[in-house]
Amino acid sequence: MSKNAYIHKVLPGSPGSALLFVFHGTGADENQLLSFGRELAPSATIVSARGDVSEQGAARFFRRTGEGVYDMDDLARATAKMAGFVKAHVEAAKPSAVFGLGYSNGANILASVVFAEPGLFDAAALMHPLIPFEPQVQGSLAGRRILITAGRRDPICPPNLTTRLEAYLRADGADVTVEWHDGGHEVRPNEIEAARRLFALSPVGEGVKKNG
């Protein structure tokens, strides 16, 4: 469990504020969502890791064998490594709350960590996730707020899989909101506003006790 398990950047926030972990999409890096995270959670400390897998030079958080076909062994490795990275930062910072935001491949690793460590994040925004498998949540998501954003014409993340993910999360007790738009894999303004609302309504400053 190391704060330096990944190449990463940190944007400091207000003392005692929330920690917001942001996870980039395939081919991007730790710079992609830093300013976006600051826009969404102005007082939070932003932590952004670079994926440690290269797919023909494009950074990712875990391997795949084709579009939408995941290397499940590598996903398990990446999930454990990322959970340890997040826990190390939480332990060091002792924040008021822990938030996560991921886009595309970043949303997928964030979702996988949520399944494995349901008590780790107080709120998570999954932007255009693709979960082509049935999650096995290791506990209860009761009290956790999760936003899923999606495009009705997304060629990468079929709407039926988004709806299925919503059902899985609700069944495990999560407070789930789904924000749709009529486009594809791009992020649109209504998604950004939904993410802003998610973090604004979450328990920042209430001294949330972390259990992981």
Side-chain angles (χ1 to χ4, degrees), residues 16 25 27 42 44 47 58 68 80 83 90 109 114 122 129 138 144-145 192 197:
V47 182
V90 170
I109 188 64
V114 168
D122 297 294
Q138 303 302 308
R144 308 296 159 174
R145 303 182 69 245
I192 296 171
R197 289 194 301 271

Side-chain angles (χ1 to χ4, degrees), residues 94-98 119 122 144 202-211:
K94 296 182 169 49
S96 59
V98 181
D122 297 294
R144 308 296 159 174
S202 294
V204 181
E206 294 183 6
V208 176
K209 182 180 179 182
K210 303 319 301 165
N211 55 357

Side-chain angles (χ1 to χ4, degrees), residues 56-179:
Q56 299 179 339
R60 284 176 54 84
F61 290 101
F62 58 89
R63 301 185 188 283
R64 60 183 174 180
T65 57
E67 189 69 56
V69 183
Y70 297 163
D71 179 332
M72 297 303 289
D73 289 339
D74 195 60
L75 176 57
R77 171 206 64 83
T79 300
K81 180 179 177 180
M82 185 59 76
F85 174 79
V86 171
K87 287 179 183 179
H89 280 270
V90 170
E91 184 175 310
K94 296 182 169 49
S96 59
V98 181
F99 301 152
L101 179 141
Y103 167 67
S104 196
N105 180 240
N108 299 335
I109 188 64
L110 174 55
S112 191
V113 173
V114 168
F115 304 150
E117 299 278 355
L120 191 52
F121 290 95
D122 297 294
L126 308 174
M127 293 185 150
H128 299 262
L130 173 61
I131 304 299
F133 57 89
E134 182 173 344
Q136 300 298 316
V137 179
Q138 303 302 308
S140 171
L141 286 167
R144 308 296 159 174
R145 303 182 69 245
I146 298 178
L147 169 69
I148 303 171
T149 73
R152 297 188 187 281
R153 296 177 175 83
D154 192 330
I156 297 173
C157 305
N160 65 302
L161 292 187
T162 298
T163 302
R164 188 177 73 167
L165 175 61
E166 175 191 5
Y168 286 145
L169 294 171
R170 287 193 191 282
D172 279 289
D175 177 1
V176 184
T177 300
V178 182
E179 184 74 25

